[in-house]
């Protein structure tokens, strides 16, 4: 018979893992996809993020994460013990500084990520704006975290 403490310990561990995954994924996504849309619409207000966009954003982040981890590991193997440089998909300088093989991996990842975002109903522009908004809006961050936890539970019912 399972003890109640085991149940709470498991829930606490699941929540910590989900939160760690969320913050890691958001940080990775923002590093990989940022440099953002500061160009043409600098002064424009970002409209509120609706529930559909929160869901689309969370689904895109979850779908991108395995590809991001794989690309990261492949680039890590290629560059050996050196520090992995910051790779930003819409900053060609960050990608051009990589070796030919690493550049191919990064470009492939960026192209797949863009398709994942669009397949989940968001434009790259909107995805990037939501990413920026997450850094400044704790309510939105909590909404996305809750959605990520829900999606993970649905995809991995135990």
């Amino acid at each position: 018979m399972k003890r109640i403490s085991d149940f709470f310990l498991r829930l606490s561990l699941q929540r910590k893992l989900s939160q760690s995954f969320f913050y890691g994924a958001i940080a990775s996504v923002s590093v990989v996809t940022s440099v953002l849309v500061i160009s043409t619409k600098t002064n424009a207000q970002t409209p509120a993020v609706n529930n559909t966009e929160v869901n689309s954003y969370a689904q895109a982040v979850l779908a991108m994460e395995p590809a991001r981890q794989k690309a990261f590991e492949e680039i890590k193997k290629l560059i050996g013990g050196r520090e992995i440089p910051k790779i930003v998909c819409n900053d060609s300088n960050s990608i051009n500084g990589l070796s030919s093989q690493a550049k191919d991996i990064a470009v492939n990842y960026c192209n797949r990520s863009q398709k994942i975002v669009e397949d989940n109903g968001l434009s790259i522009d909107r995805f990037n704006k939501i990413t920026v908004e997450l850094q400044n809006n704790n309510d939105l961050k909590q909404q996305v975290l809750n959605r990520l936890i829900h999606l993970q539970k649905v995809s991995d019912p135990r």
Side-chain angles (χ1 to χ4, degrees), residues 54-73:
V54 167
N55 187 52
S56 295
Y57 186 90
Q59 288 176 325
V61 168
L62 282 177
M64 279 189 282
E65 184 58 16
R68 186 202 63 81
Q69 288 178 357
K70 183 178 180 199
F72 181 84
E73 288 302 318

Side-chain angles (χ1 to χ4, degrees), residues 74-85 98-99 102:
E74 289 175 3
I75 291 172
K76 188 175 170 181
K77 286 178 190 173
L78 286 174
I79 65 172
R82 296 184 316 222
E83 185 177 332
I84 296 178
L98 300 170
S99 71

